[in-house]
Amino acid sequence: MSKIIGSVATSHIPGIGGAIAKNLQHDPYWKPFFDGFIPTREWLANNPPDVVVVVYNDHGLNFFLDKMPTFAIGAAQVYISEDEGWGIPTVPPLEGDPALSWAIIEGVVQDEFDVTTCQEMLVDHAVTIPLQLLWPEGPPPVKIVPVAVNTVQHPLPSPARCLKFGQSIGRAIEAYAPALKVLVISSGGLSHQLEGERAGFINPQFDALCLNALINQPEKLTGYTTHAIVELAGSQGAEILNWITGRGIVQGVAREVLRNYHIPISNTASALQVLEQVGVPRS
Ligand code: DHB
Ligand code: FE
């Protein structure tokens, strides 16, 4: 049976890709952000995964506002990055694991989640940047299963729905016969708003509440409506829904291996949280 190691949840600000391309990891602006990934990579070296399930939101590259699935799962052999470039080196195609993708799709549909299945899927910075941060040396030595959550076009799925969706994905992974080690990447957040009167809005108190709850009390976040989340975390802070989904996938009791929080990077409260699954699933 496959095993879920844990999760790495991280912001995916596009400027990170530019900083990597320009080797700015030790620049005073970027160092507090990049330094969080040094112990993360050490942890990863001791817990190497075969597959990464990346929970993210598409930023208009694969889905646009005219067609927006609430939940979509990739089932492709290969995923190509079509993100904006600005002269940044292009990211090589990422290898998929269609067999695991279909096992997850079967599981969640049986659990009454009506997902969009994508046998072709373009990915963007929300998928590529976390992978570059974890494997800076080159192409990631893992296959990926992208899981897209709509955090963009209202109505958004509720935090409660996202947690249950994640738990369903987690059960499907743990019931998957091949003995794979699976890491979850939860991409996005934390509080940020890119447009309008509140552009630049950041809420460290709410971010701390989320980080604490995500360890072993994710249910604490299911009482919020999506509008309350936008109010508290900013319009793009709704990307916390990816973190809640990812925490659902981790299933069992978790241990916080590390966290890093630094404000701001670009317009965003940058955050990193590594959770390791330590206990048997609670339900
Ligand atoms: C920024 C953050 C994001 O999550 C994103 O998708 C785009 C831009 C930013 O802070 O610049
Ligand atoms: Fe984003």
Side-chain angles (χ1 to χ4, degrees):
M1 293 295 157
S2 288
K3 167 143 183 41
I4 297 159
I5 302 165
S7 64
V8 176
T10 174
S11 308
H12 61 219
I13 304 146
I16 299 164
I20 292 171
K22 291 184 210 134
N23 264 318
L24 295 178
Q25 290 88 338
H26 299 287
D27 180 276
Y29 181 84
W30 289 101
K31 191 171 163 40
F33 172 78
F34 280 102
D35 276 0
F37 286 88
I38 298 168
T40 303
R41 288 193 293 270
E42 283 167 12
W43 175 80
L44 203 60
N46 292 323
N47 299 279
D50 304 299
V51 183
V52 176
V53 175
V54 189
V55 185
Y56 74 108
N57 57 298
D58 181 89
H59 292 72
L61 275 294
N62 190 71
F63 308 116
F64 199 59
L65 301 180
D66 59 337
K67 295 182 197 71
M68 184 60 74
T70 300
F71 297 122
I73 299 181
Q77 195 70 56
V78 73
Y79 301 94
I80 294 169
S81 167
E82 282 283 313
D83 212 0
E84 59 267 89
W86 301 318
I88 300 172
T90 46
V91 177
L94 299 159
E95 196 185 346
D97 186 340
L100 176 59
S101 290
W102 284 112
I104 293 173
I105 291 164
E106 293 277 353
V108 299
V109 171
Q110 212 146 61
D111 281 347
E112 302 180 351
F113 289 94
D114 306 317
V115 288
T116 299
T117 54
C118 303
Q119 297 184 61
E120 288 181 1
M121 198 174 196
L122 302 172
V123 295
D124 64 26
H125 61 274
V127 171
T128 58
I129 283 179
L131 293 169
Q132 284 179 285
L133 288 165
L134 295 184
W135 289 283
E137 257 81 71
V142 288
K143 296 177 176 178
I144 68 161
V145 174
V147 174
V149 176
N150 171 25
T151 70
V152 173
Q153 166 99 315
H154 291 256
L156 310 182
S158 70
R161 185 80 176 144
C162 289
L163 186 64
K164 284 189 191 138
F165 179 52
Q167 287 163 340
S168 176
I169 295 172
R171 284 193 296 273
I173 293 169
E174 293 194 330
Y176 186 60
L180 298 177
K181 283 179 279 163
V182 179
L183 175 74
V184 180
I185 289 179
S186 309
S187 172
L190 286 177
S191 59
H192 62 303
Q193 170 144 344
L194 302 177
E195 77 291 309
E197 279 175 20
R198 287 207 310 169
F201 174 76
I202 279 175
N203 186 345
Q205 287 78 20
F206 185 66
D207 291 338
L209 183 153
C210 290
L211 286 163
N212 292 336
L214 283 161
I215 305 171
N216 276 317
Q217 296 171 301
E219 297 80 9
K220 268 195 175 173
L221 304 178
T222 57
Y224 292 98
T225 64
T226 50
H227 287 97
I229 286 185
V230 168
E231 190 70 39
L232 287 162
S235 47
Q236 282 75 32
E239 290 174 355
I240 187 71
L241 294 173
N242 302 331
W243 288 44
I244 296 170
T245 307
R247 179 59 185 92
I249 301 176
V250 173
Q251 298 278 312
V253 177
R255 176 178 81 87
E256 186 181 57
V257 177
L258 64 94
R259 82 166 66 165
N260 190 30
Y261 184 82
H262 176 70
I263 53 175
I265 291 287
S266 185
N267 281 306
T268 299
S270 73
L272 164 68
Q273 184 176 49
V274 179
L275 299 179
E276 189 173 273
Q277 194 194 69
V278 290
V280 283
R282 287 174 294 169
S283 56

